[in-house]
Amino acid sequence: MAHRFEIRKNKAGEFVAYFCYNAETMFWTEGYSSKASAKNAIESIIKNGPAAEVIDTTLES
C-alpha cells in the first residue's frame, strides 16, 4: 500500500506521526512526549478524517 503512517522521533526527542504517500510526507502531527500519544493521534485521524469538512479560506479574484 502506498499510504502509510510512520512514527519518528524529531530532534527534540519527541514522537511525531507522519502520513506518507509513496516516498513523500503529506503531513505530520505535533511532537508528543510518548509513543502512545503519537499512536492516539493516528487513531484520531483515521477515525475523524474521512468525515472532516473541507473549508477553502482563499479569496478568489
Side-chain angles (χ1 to χ4, degrees):
M1 180 175 272
H3 295 85
R4 68 186 181 281
F5 284 97
E6 295 180 4
I7 297 176
R8 306 178 196 163
K9 276 194 168 182
N10 63 16
K11 291 180 181 179
E14 301 169 316
F15 296 94
V16 180
Y18 289 80
F19 180 75
C20 303
Y21 177 71
N22 290 330
E24 185 176 347
T25 298
M26 305 301 287
F27 66 86
W28 58 92
T29 66
E30 62 184 288
Y32 297 99
S33 59
S34 71
K35 188 183 287 188
S37 294
K39 287 181 179 183
N40 286 339
I42 291 170
E43 291 302 318
S44 178
I45 293 165
I46 291 169
K47 177 182 174 187
N48 300 304
E53 181 181 4
V54 176
I55 299 173
D56 185 352
T57 61
T58 61
L59 299 175
E60 299 210 18
S61 308

